[in-house]
Amino acid sequence: MDIRLVNLTKVFADKDSEVRAVDKLDTVVPSGKLIGLLGPSGCGKSTTLYMIAGLLNPTEGQIFFGNAEVTQLPPEKRGIGLVFQNYALYPHMTVKQNILFPLQNLKVPKAEALQRAQKVADLVAIGTLMNRKPKQLSGGQQQRVAIARALVKNPDVLLLDEPLSNLDARLRLQTREEIKRIQRETGITTIFVTHDQEEAMSISDEIIVMKDGVAQQKGAPQDVYNNPVNLFVAKFLGTPPINIFKGYIKDGGVFIGEDRILDTELPNQEAIIGIRPEGFEVNKEGTGDFTFKINLVEYIGRDKSVIAENEYCESPNFRFIVDADIKNIVDGRTIKAKIKPHKCFIFDKLTEKRLQ
Ligand SMILES: Nc1ncnc2c1ncn2[C@@H]1O[C@H](COP(=O)(O)OP(=O)(O)OP(=O)(O)O)[C@@H](O)[C@H]1O
Ligand SMILES: [Mg+2]
C-alpha cells in the first residue's frame, strides 16, 4: 500500500514563537518500498512520521494510505507499526509479553497471538530469547524486540524513527542489514527516519532529504548523490563530504582562483564550486588544471586519502581520495590535478541552487 502526503504541514505555535516543523510536504512512498527520511536534527523528520502515525494532527494537508484518506483516523485504526526514536520496552515484562502487548487490545485468541509473536520473533532472530527480560538482552536484541512488537499486528505500514541510534557502530551496521532483510521479506511499506546519511543511503530504495521542514529532493540514493539539486543536498550526502570552493565563471570556463578547471556554457558570474572527494585525478607528472598543496597523506587500505589546501577552499583543508598506488602524492608538495566533470557541481552564489 502506498502512502501519499499532500501539502502536509505542521506548525507548532505558542504565544511568542512559531515553528514550521513540516512545511508543505508533497510526496508518495511507493508500495512495498523502504524510504529513508533524512536530514539534520530538528528538520522535521519525527514530526512527519508522527503525523503519518496519527500521533500528531497536521496543521494543514492530507495523508492517504492507498486510496483511503487517514488524516483524521486515530493511530490504532491506521494499521501502522511504529518504533520510536527512544524505543522503550516494558522492563518488567518478558520479551514474549512485550511482543504480545499490542495484540491484547485487539482480542486476538491466545493461541493465535502466541503463534504470531513467535513468528515475528523468529523473523527478527530473537525467537530463542522469548522468556528473557529486556535488561538481559543486548542493545541490538532489545531493538529487535521493539521491531517485532511493531510488526506483530501485521501492519500495512512500518514507521521507524532513528531505530539504530542507541547501538554501537558494529551493531548498527548489522541491525540495518537486518531491517532491510525484514522489510524485503515482508514487503511492508516502510519509512525509516535517520540523520545519518550513510545509513539512509545504504538501505533505502529512495531517500527524501529534508531541511527546515522542507523536502529538498527525493530519489534513489545514488541519483541524489550524483545529481544534487542544491548545495545543501550536495553537502549532506557523502563521506568524506564534498569539498567547497569559492569560484567564478568567465568566458566559458569554470575558475577557482587562476585555475580554469572545466568548460561551461554558463554566463559569467561568481559561483560556489563543489568537488566530490573522488573527483580529483592525479597523474605521474602532477599536471592538471587545479593547483593545491598536499598537507598529509593517509593510507586507508585500497585508497589514499589526501588532505590538501587551496586558498579558495571554504575550509582550511580539503580531502580527496585516490588509488593507493598513485605516486607523486607527497606531503608538502604543491601539484596539480584534473577535475572530473561529473564529480564537480556549480551552485548559484545566492540561491545555492545547482547550475551545472
Ligand atoms: N511539541 C513541540 N512543540 C514545539 N516545537 C516542536 C515540538 N515538537 C517538535 N518541535 C520543533 O519542530 C522542529 C522539528 O522537530 P522534529 O522532532 O520533527 O525534528 P527531527 O528532524 O526529528 O530532529 P532529530 O533528528 O533531532 O530527532 C524542531 O525545531 C523542534 O524544536
Ligand atoms: Mg526526531
Side-chain angles (χ1 to χ4, degrees):
M1 198 176 56
D2 64 3
I3 303 171
R4 207 148 40 89
L5 309 180
V6 181
N7 194 33
L8 193 66
T9 301
K10 181 68 185 180
V11 181
F12 292 109
D14 59 29
K15 56 183 188 310
D16 29 52
S17 71
E18 189 185 281
V19 182
R20 298 190 80 80
V22 177
D23 202 3
K24 301 191 178 70
L25 183 58
D26 277 302
T27 199
V28 177
V29 177
S31 183
K33 298 286 184 204
L34 192 160
I35 300 297
L37 190 55
L38 176 65
S41 183
C43 74
K45 304 180 295 292
S46 294
T47 306
T48 303
L49 209 69
Y50 296 159
M51 286 194 281
I52 298 170
L55 300 175
L56 281 175
N57 281 324
T59 311
E60 252 180 82
Q62 294 164 294
I63 301 164
F64 295 86
F65 288 180
N67 291 324
E69 181 171 357
V70 300
T71 319
Q72 304 302 330
L73 275 189
E76 64 275 10
K77 298 236 167 96
R78 293 192 185 196
I80 50 141
L82 178 64
V83 176
F84 283 96
Q85 189 159 6
N86 292 304
Y87 64 96
L89 301 175
Y90 300 107
H92 58 286
M93 294 186 190
T94 62
V95 168
K96 191 196 287 173
Q97 289 165 334
N98 265 285
I99 298 173
L100 283 172
F101 190 78
L103 296 181
Q104 277 171 3
N105 296 328
L106 298 179
K107 310 253 181 310
V108 180
K110 184 138 188 243
E112 187 197 327
L114 281 171
Q115 205 185 14
R116 273 165 67 174
Q118 189 63 49
K119 195 172 145 217
V120 289
D122 289 339
L123 183 73
V124 301
I126 49 158
T128 57
L129 308 173
M130 295 294 259
N131 296 319
R132 293 210 201 160
K133 297 268 176 68
K135 69 167 187 293
Q136 299 170 304
L137 301 176
S138 74
Q141 290 164 338
Q142 291 182 34
Q143 193 66 66
R144 281 179 272 162
V145 177
I147 294 169
R149 195 171 59 180
L151 287 172
V152 77
K153 285 186 291 180
N154 297 329
D156 297 316
V157 169
L158 181 61
L159 305 172
L160 304 166
D161 193 1
E162 307 255 7
L164 310 179
S165 54
N166 297 328
L167 306 182
D168 70 34
R170 205 170 59 88
L171 258 181
R172 272 182 93 108
L173 236 128
Q174 234 176 45
T175 316
R176 88 185 184 202
E177 285 159 15
E178 198 94 318
I179 289 176
K180 183 72 198 167
R181 176 183 66 78
I182 295 162
Q183 193 271 331
R184 283 233 175 94
E185 276 179 36
T186 55
I188 185 172
T189 309
T190 302
I191 303 181
F192 181 102
V193 163
T194 178
H195 62 269
D196 180 336
Q197 56 92 23
E198 201 183 326
E199 192 166 283
M201 301 261 293
S202 65
I203 70 165
S204 307
D205 296 306
E206 286 184 24
I207 54 171
I208 299 172
V209 184
M210 274 182 96
K211 178 195 175 204
D212 299 337
V214 180
Q216 306 289 306
Q217 191 167 0
K218 173 171 180 266
Q222 209 53 40
D223 291 344
V224 179
Y225 181 82
N226 290 333
N227 283 303
V229 296
N230 60 31
L231 183 62
F232 176 82
V233 175
K235 278 180 157 180
F236 201 74
L237 300 184
T239 31
I242 194 165
N243 301 301
I244 305 297
F245 301 89
K246 206 166 93 180
Y248 57 96
I249 310 295
K250 196 177 152 205
D251 304 338
V254 179
F255 285 83
I256 295 175
E258 304 278 289
D259 292 340
R260 188 184 199 275
I261 60 165
L262 289 175
D263 296 333
T264 183
E265 288 173 6
L266 292 169
N268 290 359
Q269 61 190 298
E270 290 185 64
I272 302 167
I273 297 170
I275 310 175
R276 291 277 185 216
E278 65 277 23
F280 297 77
E281 226 178 286
V282 179
N283 63 22
K284 275 209 308 283
E285 292 79 30
T287 55
D289 311 304
F290 177 61
T291 316
F292 53 88
K293 177 169 170 247
I294 300 168
N295 284 334
L296 186 67
V297 184
E298 293 172 348
Y299 290 85
I300 44 173
R302 201 168 51 87
D303 297 325
K304 266 181 196 163
S305 168
V306 184
I307 296 163
E309 70 179 69
N310 170 289
E311 65 173 302
Y312 300 98
C313 185
E314 173 191 73
S315 47
N317 288 296
F318 65 98
R319 185 185 283 266
F320 64 93
I321 307 287
V322 290
D323 283 349
D325 54 11
I326 302 260
K327 304 277 187 310
N328 222 348
I329 303 251
V330 181
D331 293 9
R333 277 184 80 173
T334 295
I335 62 165
K336 290 174 185 259
K338 276 203 174 116
I339 301 302
K340 299 177 191 169
H342 62 290
K343 293 292 178 185
C344 178
F345 308 130
I346 321 285
F347 303 96
D348 187 279
K349 195 180 166 215
L350 294 176
T351 65
E352 300 190 349
K353 288 204 172 106
R354 178 152 158 237
L355 304 170
Q356 172 178 317

